[in-house]
Amino acid sequence: MKKHLLMLALASTCFIATQASAMTKDEYKVAKEKIEADYKVAKTQCGTMKDNAKDVCMKEAKGKEDVAKAELEQQYQPSDSHARKVAEEKVKATYEVAKEKCDDQKGEAKTACEKQAKADEAQGKAEIKAMKKTM
């Protein structure tokens, strides 16, 4: 159920993003600088953490930055390929964070967690591939 909600959110984001009007070059530049500044702040906040919590925080921060940049490109130059890139970055970020969270577990629980993360990633990629066919 969680995966389907994620994919529905991805699809609706892509649809909405393709409907938005393109932004000016100055708006693009300001938005890009804000994304980079937000990433630096998030990295700094992660610096106060320790062990795997820090690693998870860093993956989340990087994932948010990558998704935000892909969404910005879609807003700046709307296209099917940019819409797919947004979806791909969301799947990648979700996978990276899930995989990192698995490091908190041991033995069979860790193996099961990693398999679930990989299965969720494969499902997300399959849905992106299906999205390519409909665009």
Side-chain angles (χ1 to χ4, degrees):
M1 180 70 174
K2 187 177 177 184
K3 292 182 277 186
H4 296 293
L5 291 176
L6 174 66
M7 288 302 118
L8 181 60
L10 290 174
S12 64
T13 300
C14 293
F15 177 74
I16 291 168
T18 58
Q19 301 302 314
S21 61
M23 58 185 359
T24 67
K25 189 170 187 165
D26 288 337
E27 290 172 329
Y28 172 82
K29 185 178 177 182
V30 168
K32 189 171 184 180
E33 288 171 359
K34 182 182 181 327
I35 291 168
E36 290 168 358
D38 289 346
Y39 175 62
K40 286 179 184 177
V41 168
K43 273 180 43 175
T44 302
Q45 290 173 341
C46 294
T48 64
M49 299 177 176
K50 295 183 187 255
D51 302 322
N52 198 50
K54 182 177 182 177
D55 296 340
V56 170
C57 182
M58 294 296 285
K59 293 285 184 180
E60 287 174 339
K62 183 63 177 159
K64 285 178 185 177
E65 179 194 34
D66 292 344
V67 169
K69 284 183 176 180
E71 288 173 339
L72 178 60
E73 288 299 321
Q74 174 61 8
Q75 288 175 337
Y76 184 54
Q77 297 175 328
S79 69
D80 289 346
S81 66
H82 286 142
R84 278 192 304 279
K85 182 70 174 171
V86 170
E88 289 167 356
E89 288 297 336
K90 286 181 179 182
V91 168
K92 178 183 170 189
T94 301
Y95 171 69
E96 291 293 327
V97 170
K99 193 171 107 179
E100 194 63 46
K101 286 181 178 180
C102 293
D103 286 348
D104 281 333
Q105 301 178 20
K106 303 266 187 249
E108 289 183 29
K110 182 176 180 177
T111 302
C113 180
E114 289 171 343
K115 284 183 182 180
Q116 184 62 51
K118 193 70 176 162
D120 291 347
E121 178 194 35
Q123 177 68 29
K125 286 182 176 182
E127 291 180 15
I128 292 169
K129 192 173 184 179
M131 188 171 69
K132 285 182 185 179
K133 293 179 182 178
T134 62
M135 290 183 159

